[in-house]
Amino acid sequence: MSPIALERPQRINGEITAPQLRLVAENGDQLGIVAVGDALRMAEEQNVDLVEIAPLAVPPVCKLMDYGKFRYREQKKAHEAKLKQKQIQVKEIKFRPGTDEGDYKIKVGKLIQFLDEGDKAKVTLRFRGREMAHQEFGVRLLERVRKDLEVHAIIEQFPRLEGRQMVMVLAPKKKGVPPKAKPKAAKEASEPKEPKAKKEAAAKPAAAT
């Protein structure tokens, strides 16, 4: 096999070695089992390629097609699929036990942005010096962060102490799908029906006494 064939997922034209093959036309029609020489001749007459699409079948399945256009379409599809794939990142925001209110709101806003974009958020609370003796302040601050973000995030890692810092990891909350409205017919079927006799009695005017 030539080096070019190793770079492709399919064998084409003269690289196909099976003596017979099941041939498919360019428009998808089944042409039956033919000799490889006849298939190559048909490909040449139609100015297309003979492409092996199912090499493990007995006999192998080959198709008449413009291989250059086929490869271009496949590469374009793969590129578009790659662009649509979201690479989830873990983005970090650092706090201090004494973070002031204005800075706190800015940092929480950034966390919301990260989560809404589909990324995870690592909240790091750094203790300095004597602050290690009052870790409860850090716990309270992380609990506040958790509550402020509960609409946007779930806790992936609860706060834990790592050296002189406390770390919490948040993951974006999946958007819930709103419940579908119950069809009218189904709603009526689910409601208890009033007896016919009772309906008729209610419809008649009361007799004069």
Side-chain angles (χ1 to χ4, degrees):
M1 187 184 299
S2 68
I4 296 177
L6 296 175
E7 297 173 4
R8 293 192 302 261
Q10 298 95 357
R11 290 187 291 186
I12 67 171
N13 300 326
E15 298 165 1
I16 301 169
T17 57
Q20 287 189 318
L21 48 89
R22 188 176 298 278
L23 189 61
V24 181
E26 193 170 11
N27 62 2
D29 289 347
Q30 299 289 328
L31 302 179
I33 297 174
V34 300
V36 66
D38 294 338
L40 287 168
R41 186 164 50 254
M42 290 172 66
E44 187 175 354
E45 289 171 356
Q46 297 177 32
N47 196 28
V48 294
D49 299 294
L50 181 66
V51 183
E52 190 176 53
I53 58 174
L56 299 181
V58 181
V61 180
C62 296
K63 186 174 182 179
L64 298 168
M65 68 171 76
D66 186 324
Y67 189 71
K69 289 182 180 179
F70 169 76
R71 287 288 290 161
Y72 173 77
R73 288 194 298 267
E74 291 299 303
Q75 289 170 359
K76 189 176 179 181
K77 285 180 187 176
H79 179 66
E80 289 173 353
K82 188 175 181 180
L83 290 177
K84 289 179 182 178
Q85 288 178 345
K86 167 67 179 175
Q87 297 295 325
I88 297 176
Q89 301 179 35
V90 180
K91 297 186 177 179
E92 184 179 22
I93 292 291
K94 296 180 180 181
F95 289 82
R96 290 287 315 286
T99 299
D100 63 54
E101 187 64 19
D103 197 23
Y104 174 85
K105 288 181 179 178
I106 292 171
K107 291 177 184 290
V108 167
K110 291 297 291 182
L111 288 169
I112 291 172
Q113 179 185 334
F114 296 155
L115 293 162
D116 287 350
E117 289 174 352
D119 293 314
K120 296 182 181 180
K122 180 181 179 181
V123 183
T124 303
L125 186 74
R126 181 76 177 173
F127 295 103
R128 292 181 183 172
R130 296 180 182 179
E131 290 175 346
M132 283 295 293
H134 299 282
Q135 295 176 21
E136 66 274 12
F137 295 118
V139 173
R140 288 175 196 165
L141 190 143
L142 290 183
E143 179 61 17
R144 182 186 175 189
V145 172
R146 185 193 68 78
K147 287 183 179 178
D148 286 345
L149 297 177
E150 62 185 356
V151 175
H152 305 271
I154 58 172
I155 305 297
E156 187 169 276
Q157 176 188 301
F158 284 90
R160 71 182 184 191
L161 197 64
E162 297 178 359
R164 298 188 67 84
Q165 61 188 25
M166 197 170 286
V167 176
M168 176 173 67
V169 179
L170 306 170
K173 184 178 284 187
K174 292 181 180 179
K175 301 290 188 294
V177 179
K180 293 183 179 179
K182 184 184 288 187
K184 187 176 179 182
K187 184 179 179 182
E188 290 175 353
S190 65
E191 292 176 350
K193 292 185 178 180
E194 192 176 358
K196 186 177 179 182
K198 189 174 180 181
K199 281 187 178 179
E200 290 175 351
K204 289 180 181 178
T209 55

